[in-house]
């Protein structure tokens, strides 16, 4: 093989790098910058006013509530699923692995619609729920359900990959040394996967905060009651309150950047865990 | 403490890993399970340890039926092929693990645990490595830590899965001799799995040769070499360096 086949000429390298950078600026950096420019267009005071509006505050609260419930739930489900899949042999294992990925494959709008079909007034359990005065659709429980569904795969997928690469030998060693199931889990398994678990939680949180489609279908957009942050951005935008819309959007963007930084740090930590 | 395997069968899916295997290992004896890969030797070791359950047959430890007791209750020391050290714990904590997870009533005091761990670290000649992590050790050092961890709980039997498989030739030879001496000091029944004929013949008191889920022959190294009981054993031991028998570490 001669030299030119292995090493691209300098010109080609510069052109390729330039193209990649241009695409990055155009597709990622500019829109992100635009969010902040728009948000602060009318000054710091207007920004602050937009954020402290009661409807915005209630949207922040609802988003945090949805994250606060769906992320711990998915940590639990994800851990249970990953544990079952990687530490045991059973029939239907492949089916379970595929089922976990469904929320990634289905459009979020469909995910929302499914819950309307099941729990809505005309849905399977609609009559029963109405009779017992339980409201799920167009209420907070529906938002939490939809968020949990959409973010379900993050923790499970991360842990399955991590736990598969670690194998079951350390758990077996713990058992032979006399540990019971709790001791094995808390002293061996959990410390081995803690960074992977956090990594899954960060991805899950980022997605839960930003979820629009599924939540939009089940929320009903009742201001001050069933509006999450992304839904609130849309409402403000549709009402031509651009400064407000971008102020709220900038909040979400800051959270996304924090999540990204955490994600990088945790990727580094989990690669140590795998080693 | 003796180990007795009686008519053990084990099937994985459609593969019959063990077909009616019986074997007795006396107290103080060092037994090698020797065979090509896929012959069922590791499965047999795991069944003795309680990590796998036999489909039929019984396991007796010290003349008590242990078939239904869990790995946790059998008090066996098990050294895994890839050591399976707890990667997030120091060498010290790895060795202390078996003592720390005991129920409060039988758990030694912290002082006794520290003393016991240092005693074991001296035994494996690594007493300056107590605060290192497994990833900072060489293969031979990990192997010895794994052994110390297994011995910390004063097991009734010691089981080793390919204990020298992942080590280079020089370290392997040193560890073989060391293991032999250690076994003689401990007076417990030990079983190790290997696919290396010379290793089995050099270290073990008796050798069980497995093939395709059956035990083909059990005997001292001299017996299996001089009087192979069938064509497989003869073929399997044919290429062994005859010096192996003279090199025996005793």
């Amino acid at each position: 093989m001669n030299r030119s086949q292995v090493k691209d000429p300098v010109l080609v390298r510069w052109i390729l790098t330039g193209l990649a950078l241009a695409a990055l600026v155009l597709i990622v950096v500019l829109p992100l910058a635009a969010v902040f420019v728009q948000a602060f267009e009318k000054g710091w005071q207007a920004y602050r006013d937009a954020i402290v509006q009661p409807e915005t505050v209630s949207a922040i609260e609802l988003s945090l509530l949805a994250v606060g419930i769906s992320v711990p739930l998915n940590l639990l489900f994800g851990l249970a699923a990953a544990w079952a899949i990687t530490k045991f042999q059973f029939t239907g294992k492949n089916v379970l692995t595929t089922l976990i990925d469904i929320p990634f494959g289905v459009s979020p709008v469909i995910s929302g619609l499914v819950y309307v079909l099941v729990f809505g007034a005309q849905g399977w359990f609609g009559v029963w729920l109405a009779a017992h005065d339980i409201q799920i659709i167009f209420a907070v429980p529906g938002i939490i359900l939809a968020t949990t569904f959409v973010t379900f795969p993050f923790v499970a997928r991360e842990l399955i990959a991590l736990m598969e690469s670690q194998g079951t030998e350390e758990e077996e060693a713990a058992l032979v040394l006399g540990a019971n199931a709790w001791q094995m889990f808390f002293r061996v398994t959990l410390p081995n996967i803690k960074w992977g678990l956090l990594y899954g939680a960060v991805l899950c949180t980022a997605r839960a905060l930003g979820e629009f489609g599924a939540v939009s279908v089940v929320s009903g957009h009742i201001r001050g009651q069933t509006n999450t942050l992304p839904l609130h951005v849309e409402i403000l935008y549709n009402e031509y309150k651009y400064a407000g819309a971008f102020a709220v959007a900038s909040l979400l963007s800051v959270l996304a950047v924090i999540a990204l930084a955490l994600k990088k740090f945790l990727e580094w930590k989990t690669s140590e865990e795998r080693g | 403490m003796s180990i007795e395997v009686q008519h053990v069968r084990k099937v994985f899916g459609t593969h019959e890993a063990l077909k009616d295997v019986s074997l007795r290992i006396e107290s103080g004896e060092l037994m090698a399970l020797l065979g090509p890969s896929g012959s069922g030797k590791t499965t047999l070791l795991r069944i003795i340890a309680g990590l796998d359950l036999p489909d039929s047959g019984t396991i007796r430890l010290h003349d008590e039926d242990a078939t239904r007791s869990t790995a946790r209750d059998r008090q066996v020391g098990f050294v895994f092929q890839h050591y399976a050290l707890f990667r997030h714990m120091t060498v010290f904590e790895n060795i202390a693990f078996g003592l720390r997870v005991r129920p409060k009533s039988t758990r030694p005091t912290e002082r006794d645990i520290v003393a016991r761990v240092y005693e074991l670290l001296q035994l494996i000649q690594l007493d300056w490595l107590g605060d290192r992590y497994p990833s900072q050790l060489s293969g031979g050092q990990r192997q010895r830590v794994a052994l110390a961890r297994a011995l910390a709980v004063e097991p009734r039997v010691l089981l080793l899965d390919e204990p020298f498989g992942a080590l280079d030739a020089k370290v392997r030879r040193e560890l073989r001799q060391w293991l032999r001496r250690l076994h003689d000091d401990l007076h417990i029944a030990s079983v190790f799995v290997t696919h290396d004929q010379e290793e089995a013949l050099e270290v073990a008191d008796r050798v069980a040769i497995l093939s395709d889920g059956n035990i083909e022959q059990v005997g001292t190294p001299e017996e299996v070499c001089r009087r192979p009981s069938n064509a497989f054993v003869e073929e399997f031991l044919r290429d062994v360096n005859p010096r192996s028998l003279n090199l025996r570490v005793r």
Side-chain angles (χ1 to χ4, degrees):
Chain A
M1 204 186 280
N2 72 35
R3 225 178 117 78
S4 65
Q5 277 174 301
V6 200
K7 238 181 160 185
D8 294 320
V10 177
L11 186 67
V12 174
R13 267 192 287 156
W14 277 104
I15 291 175
L16 284 177
T17 315
L19 275 177
L21 276 177
L24 194 71
V25 168
L26 198 69
I27 298 172
V28 181
V29 179
L30 268 183
L32 195 63
V35 168
F36 287 95
V37 169
Q38 286 280 345
F40 288 103
E41 200 185 32
K42 289 181 180 155
W44 172 252
Q45 193 58 43
Y47 182 85
R48 218 190 67 102
D49 287 348
I51 301 284
V52 296
Q53 287 248 330
E55 282 168 12
T56 308
V57 171
S58 104
I60 293 175
E61 282 170 0
L62 182 58
S63 273
L64 289 180
L65 179 71
V67 167
I69 294 177
S70 66
V71 172
L73 276 181
N74 277 339
L75 281 176
L76 215 63
F77 295 154
L79 194 57
W83 180 280
I85 286 171
T86 55
K87 309 280 174 186
F88 297 100
Q89 294 296 328
F90 55 93
T91 42
K93 192 163 153 167
N94 287 333
V95 179
L96 184 59
T97 314
T98 312
L99 278 178
I100 288 172
D101 278 348
I102 282 186
F104 276 175
V106 181
S107 157
V109 177
I110 314 270
S111 315
L113 276 176
V114 170
Y115 283 108
V116 176
L117 284 177
V118 175
F119 299 114
Q122 272 78 44
W124 294 349
F125 302 121
V127 176
W128 187 88
L129 288 169
H132 290 79
D133 207 17
I134 301 171
Q135 200 175 6
I136 291 180
I137 301 304
F138 305 144
V140 175
I143 291 171
I144 290 168
L145 266 178
T147 308
T148 309
F149 178 83
V150 171
T151 55
F152 181 75
F154 287 104
V155 177
R157 280 173 66 121
E158 171 62 22
L159 287 187
I160 288 169
L162 180 63
M163 287 163 85
E164 225 149 47
S165 78
Q166 289 183 344
T168 53
E169 275 203 340
E170 286 183 47
E171 276 83 7
E172 287 182 342
L175 286 182
V176 176
L177 288 166
N180 61 34
W182 282 116
Q183 290 169 324
M184 176 181 75
F185 179 74
F186 284 107
R187 291 177 185 230
V188 176
T189 308
L190 198 58
N192 275 348
I193 60 169
K194 59 177 187 289
W195 294 111
L197 203 60
L198 262 176
Y199 179 81
V202 167
L203 289 185
C204 200
T205 307
R207 184 77 167 82
L209 276 173
E211 175 51 32
F212 181 82
V215 171
S216 175
V217 174
V218 298
S219 124
H221 305 270
I222 308 165
R223 280 183 216 210
Q225 282 180 40
T226 63
N227 247 355
T228 61
L229 277 175
L231 299 182
H232 192 56
V233 172
E234 192 208 19
I235 287 183
L236 290 172
Y237 185 81
N238 286 344
E239 290 171 351
Y240 307 107
K241 293 174 183 157
Y242 294 135
F246 281 102
V248 178
S250 75
L251 276 186
L252 280 170
S253 306
V254 168
L255 289 172
V257 171
I258 293 173
L260 194 70
L262 272 176
K263 176 174 166 288
K264 257 328 328 153
F265 171 72
L266 291 170
E267 268 168 10
W268 170 64
K269 275 291 181 188
T270 45
S271 73
E272 278 187 347
E273 231 167 43
R274 251 173 253 262
Chain B
M1 305 281 169
S2 62
I3 305 167
E4 189 152 14
V5 178
Q6 294 169 325
H7 304 293
V8 161
R9 276 187 77 245
K10 178 73 185 178
V11 180
F12 292 111
T14 56
H15 172 66
E16 209 173 357
L18 292 173
K19 307 166 183 166
D20 192 26
V21 166
S22 297
L23 183 67
R24 186 178 166 90
I25 299 131
E26 297 298 337
S27 184
E29 188 174 36
L30 179 55
M31 168 78 85
L33 301 181
L34 173 66
S37 58
S39 57
K41 51 195 194 304
T42 295
T43 305
L44 180 55
L45 196 75
R46 288 174 59 86
I47 286 176
I48 295 173
L51 290 170
D52 280 326
L53 290 176
D55 292 324
S56 62
T58 53
I59 302 292
R60 297 172 69 83
L61 296 176
H62 192 47
D63 297 320
E64 281 168 31
D65 189 352
T67 316
R68 294 291 138 210
S69 62
T70 61
R72 201 184 155 216
D73 297 327
R74 289 195 195 183
Q75 295 181 325
V76 297
F78 198 101
V79 177
F80 290 81
Q81 184 175 4
H82 302 290
Y83 321 130
L85 294 176
F86 304 126
R87 69 192 83 192
H88 65 280
M89 290 183 204
T90 61
V91 166
F92 183 98
E93 286 303 324
N94 262 281
I95 298 174
F97 185 88
L99 301 172
R100 292 206 195 282
V101 294
R102 283 192 184 166
K104 239 193 181 103
S105 54
T106 57
R107 192 188 310 152
T109 63
E110 184 63 27
R111 255 181 67 189
D112 289 346
I113 290 177
V114 172
R116 176 85 182 122
V117 172
Y118 274 109
E119 192 185 310
L120 284 159
L121 278 170
Q122 271 162 12
L123 177 76
I124 60 170
Q125 297 151 10
L126 292 177
D127 42 339
W128 74 97
L129 287 181
D131 54 358
R132 298 278 182 88
Y133 285 87
S135 60
Q136 298 169 302
L137 306 180
S138 71
Q141 290 170 338
R142 284 180 208 182
Q143 171 66 279
R144 284 185 275 166
V145 172
L147 201 54
R149 181 178 70 176
L151 294 176
V153 292
E154 290 168 346
R156 302 194 295 174
V157 300
L158 184 59
L159 309 171
L160 307 104
D161 188 6
E162 297 273 3
F164 313 110
L167 303 169
D168 63 57
K170 182 175 172 288
V171 180
R172 193 186 298 199
R173 172 154 296 276
E174 286 169 10
L175 271 177
R176 275 184 208 173
Q177 297 175 356
W178 181 76
L179 177 70
R180 178 71 232 187
R181 283 198 302 273
L182 184 74
H183 168 84
D184 290 339
D185 291 343
L186 290 172
H187 300 293
I188 57 178
S190 303
V191 184
F192 73 99
V193 159
T194 181
H195 62 270
D196 182 328
Q197 293 93 333
E198 294 179 14
E199 189 164 283
L201 298 176
E202 278 184 41
V203 182
D205 296 316
R206 285 197 303 154
V207 180
I209 295 164
L210 282 89
S211 148
D212 201 23
N214 289 305
I215 291 189
E216 301 290 343
Q217 188 175 1
V218 184
T220 63
E222 287 80 6
E223 279 166 9
V224 294
C225 281
R226 304 243 155 85
R227 292 189 298 281
S229 64
N230 60 31
F232 173 83
V233 176
E234 192 175 359
E235 169 76 27
F236 189 63
L237 296 177
R238 178 173 296 158
D239 302 327
V240 175
N241 185 343
R243 282 177 57 229
S244 298
L245 286 176
N246 305 328
L247 282 173
R248 288 177 57 71
V249 275
R250 307 251 55 197

